[in-house]
Amino acid sequence: MIEPNITPELIADHGITPEEFERIKGILGREPNFTELGIFSVMWSEHCSYKNSKPVLRTFPTKGPQILVGAGEENAGVTDIGDGWAISFKIESHNHPSAVEPFQGAATGVGGILRDIFTMGARPILCMNSLRFGPIDGNDEAARRNKRLFAGVVGGIAHYGNCVGVPTVGGEVYFDESYEGNPLLNAMCLGLLRHEQIARGAAKGVGNPVFYVGPATGRDGLAGAAFASRELTEESHEDRPAVQVGDPFMEKLVLEAVLELLQTDAVVGIQDMGAAGLTCSTCETASRAGTGIEIDLAKVPQREPGMTPYEIMLSESQERMLVIVQKGREAEVQRILDKWDLPWAEIGFVTDTGLMRVKNHGQVVAEIPAAKLANDAPVYYRESKEPSYFAKTRAWKLSDLPSLTDPQKVLPELLASPTVASKNWVYRQYDHMVQTRTVVCPGSDAAVVRLKLAPPPAKDRYLAITTDCNGAYCYLDPYTGGAIAVAEAARNIVCSGGRPLAVTDNLNFGNPMKPEIFFQVREAARGITAGCNTFGTPVTGGNVSFYNESPAGAIDPTPVIGMVGLIDDIAHITTQWFKNHGDAIILAGNAVDAADPYLGLGGSEYAKRLHHIKAGLPPHLDLATEKKLQDAVLALIRDGKIKSAHDCSEGGLAVALAECCISRHPARNTPALIGARVDLSAFANGTRLDALLFGEAQSRIVLSVAQESADAVVAQLQAAGVPAAVIGAVGGDALEIRTGASACKWSVNELYDAWWYSITRKMES
Amino acid sequence: MKFGIIQFPGSNCDLDKLWVLQDVFKQEARYLWHKDTDIGDLDCIVVPGGFSYGDYLRTGAIARFSPVMKAVADHAAKGKLVIGICNGFQILCEAGLLPGALLRNRSLQFRCEHVYVRIETQKSPFTCAARTHEIMRIPVAHGEGCYFADPSTIAELKKNDQILFRYVDASGKVVDTASPNGSIENIAGVCNKARNVCGMMPHPERASEEVLGSADGRVVWESILNHLRGVESVPESVLAGGH
Amino acid sequence: MKAKIYVTPKKAVLDPQGKAVANALHSLGYAAVGDVHIGKYMEIELKTTDPAAARKQLEEMCHRILSNPVIEDYRFELES
Amino acid sequence: MKAKIYVTPKKAVLDPQGKAVANALHSLGYAAVGDVHIGKYMEIELKTTDPAAARKQLEEMCHRILSNPVIEDYRFELES
Ligand SMILES: Nc1ncnc2c1ncn2[C@@H]1O[C@H](COP(=O)(O)OP(=O)(O)O)[C@@H](O)[C@H]1O
Ligand SMILES: [Mg+2]
């Protein structure tokens, strides 16, 4: 086999800078060969090394009494939920593969995050996903392409998750021009385990055999990590070998076998072969244990003849695991793998050399200090500079926005905006009930699952889970946008009856080498940190996805927050829809935020959708105010006073009220619609009508309570320092909103039709 | 009563079945491995949902050749109970233990949602505890649930009262839009001629506890238990307040 | 030897996929497209040199597992 | 005219379905079975009489929607 010479061009092709190459030579004490160059290039890619984001990630709060395994220690963090039980959860992107091949890209994204969780020893009990696409309105070339991507991604998530048998219980989807050509797929998974079941990805015990488990290695997905660390260009569609095909059936077998293996103590360490495949799993396990590892590639099952060491080490074929077995216990491990009909091979052993030594038919083809490879990638403090577009977006004044005269048409239009509209076209394709844990199915503020720790009728435990991020807010002000993502997630948890516990994050940005992009990264992270500190939710892990740019430019900064909350009692579980005729409707929080120069309209769905304006500043957020609101509402829920709670987000108060009326959906084609009469006249004086109805002021929750407890609830909120007022009553078959002299009335049927079928109509036209 | 729940590679509703039978209904229930040939003495075999063998080729096509399926056929031949749910229904059809086949949903999409399902007859071990035309609100979750059989088989099913479940609207009417998959005559579940083997696409185990939003599916398990206990048919008055 | 197997939906069976593809082609402007039918195509390597035996086996495989006679027809070709 | 289109997984791409079917056939005792590949077979009616134009259209349809060129190959035959 003839390997190419190491030329400056080859080095550059591998995304390695001349300084990095010097550093590699320093580590090896010589020039790397071709295989070693490939190994360094994937391990030192942004995707694996976080070289451009580490300094930022270090600023996140990651500690807390609930943290059992912290961020970055292992494949995923582990968080205590009491009584010896724990959860492990994480979010991960698969943006570039999804741009090139949406179905398989999304499917393998789900596969990868599932493996991160079950290698921790946890049984995956739910998935979520956060998606971004270009607009799907109309039928021009671009819209058709966006629809194809959207349909493909959703189909791929469904295909994989449904087959493995993990329910997809929620998520979010936004549509915006900035994601045109660079859609986002962030998949989150959460697993359940006992404290004593936490598994480690460490190659401990010199002499212990190293097993390869799963299907044979092919040329698919060659160097996907490097692919994820580049901008998408016109030529990206030629990056085809980087696309992998997933086999969820195999994943299910691997999952069951791994959990069964971990029940024995015959396994000392385990890691999935995700990004950078065999390379990453071998050097990281050795590095964590402070050992070395030696493997022979001739023993690695291969799908195609003639694969080179370079290809085998860099392949990202799916559904493979590396398992380090206690010496002498091989037979036990083999019995379990055979039971599940899984292919496996013993490919090497743990050494005390600190080296990752790779042989091929006995001949050494790569030899690199494992810890240096895994941990000594350069770390860059990138330059940051305030984006020049701020000058333009901030020059825009609220007075430039024409005033609203006829809200009657606007509300249905906003409800039909794909970002606001019901996502049933998406979630009905996902099995969201398998495992019979889902207590609140998709369609409310957060998903709620029971953990089935105790057989009925004994007391069980419940989790609330949500993902949130508004990219337009982050574009206009990354700090506030980042903080709002956390605040909104926490608000969704609280509205569902939970107390926020911990978060995972997925930082989706453009090219961090550009100072204006890095500014966004740094500021958004600062906002996330502020938010997490406020709500006491440490970051347990996450993922960074840079280079999300298409020829038209970078995506809006999109730091997605996945948050988990604990619900202490079944009675606290709360949903967003109105329940009974006659109940009082209470707005907790200010109708209009006087501290906001844009009155909640900057970056709002209203400004974007109806006026095609993405300018100004995002809604103002005061974290202390937000915390007060959430604490007060949670206390009321715990007191059993609240019948429904819904946070105000995209589309503002009018959309939130409409959703309370139309979002309860007991069965196919059978919504349970309920009207409401609302009077906002008290707030209408001297304020803009558009801000009152559609402004996206933060720190607001729409509650409904029994009429007789309305006064007490308002008093309790006010006593806690939260502005509150009764704004109407539930009932009838129309939503009526009075604002001073004028009033609007919409039949709930009309609103429901606009909201529920909007995405279906667009996808089927 | 003794229940056996089959585990094929790719089954994923097996745990849910064990939970509902063992923890909710307090019955003796255990797993049967797909490679088992001796399944011992059981009152009822449950073929669970999931994606046996990845649903590759056709749903149920590969699973039906598993060693355990011979034992299932023997069990059924003795007149003992077998119930296949979702993928289990597909497997029983492929195995020839039930008539017909399940095609891709007419929408070409997987569908997970609650639907209304009417119990068409009480004359089966799987529906004997139901009230006349009882309607269940119950989840479905499948990509291939469109029931198909040729016209003479359908006529035969009707003649023998073998159609156990149909998709209906909230008022109990059989209408096209009530069906999540485009099944012929809105069929959601059938039994064999001997009435001891049942297949259904909806998931009664996902609607057997109030906390999951519906306990309407309990009637299926209660029917099986009544039948096994020899309580053939319960007077309507007793059931009126039930489930 | 190599067998090529074609499994197609029976006439009486709905073919929503065929319909969907036909619609998609029309909306992309392919007006000449008429009916579309979609089935499966399989290639199987057979390590045997006896065509008669191979045919017999294939017939059996198609009937038992590769197709479902309730909803599908099949045919195959054998190449050496 | 009628077109017959064959869409098959690319060689370098994983074909889990083919693999699962091959395993199933082995365990049913068909020991002679080697590799199995599973793809799609489509029949499309074309209301045209010009084979050259039909071919050009088919080529385009296959590339744009009938196959996924990232992971699949296609070929077609035209019959009149
Ligand atoms: N990609 C998705 N997958 C599954 N469920 C989704 C997805 N997108 C939205 N949903 C569900 O639809 C409901 C509404 O979502 P969203 O409009 O984002 O709510 P909110 O504004 O309250 O965060 C939620 O229950 C959510 O989980
Ligand atoms: Mg919300």
Side-chain angles (χ1 to χ4, degrees), chain A residues 123 162-165 247-249 252-253 338-341 425 428-439 441 450 452 454-456 462 570 666-670, chain B residues 9-13 15-16 19 23-24 26 33-35 51-54 56 109-116 137 139 141 170 177-180 205-206 209 211-212:
Chain A
R123 174 170 287 277
N162 295 353
C163 183
V164 177
D247 181 0
F249 170 58
K252 169 73 171 162
L253 302 184
D338 289 343
K339 169 184 165 188
W340 290 100
D341 292 322
W425 185 87
R428 73 187 184 198
Q429 297 187 52
Y430 303 150
D431 189 337
H432 45 253
M433 284 203 72
V434 63
Q435 300 196 18
T436 59
R437 287 193 162 91
T438 318
V439 175
C441 293
R450 61 168 173 166
K452 285 208 220 172
Y462 305 84
I570 186 170
R668 179 184 172 79
N669 289 335
T670 335
Chain B
S11 294
N12 62 32
C13 299
L15 282 79
D16 304 354
W19 170 269
D23 295 298
V24 180
K26 310 292 175 205
W33 190 239
H34 63 105
K35 293 173 186 165
F51 287 69
S52 55
Y53 294 92
Y56 291 130
Q109 284 179 359
F110 191 94
R111 273 288 186 282
C112 175
E113 58 190 340
H114 281 80
V115 296
Y116 292 108
R137 195 171 71 81
T177 50
S179 163
E205 81 281 8
R206 299 185 186 185
E209 295 163 88
V211 64
L212 296 179

Side-chain angles (χ1 to χ4, degrees), chain A residues 648-690:
Chain A
C648 289
S649 55
E650 287 77 22
L653 183 54
V655 163
L657 286 165
E659 286 174 345
C660 293
C661 295
I662 59 178
S663 59
R664 183 180 196 180
H665 203 268
R668 179 184 172 79
N669 289 335
T670 335
L673 308 178
I674 190 165
R677 280 175 317 276
V678 172
D679 191 347
L680 301 177
S681 306
F683 314 105
N685 225 347
T687 202
R688 292 179 61 120
L689 190 56
D690 48 7

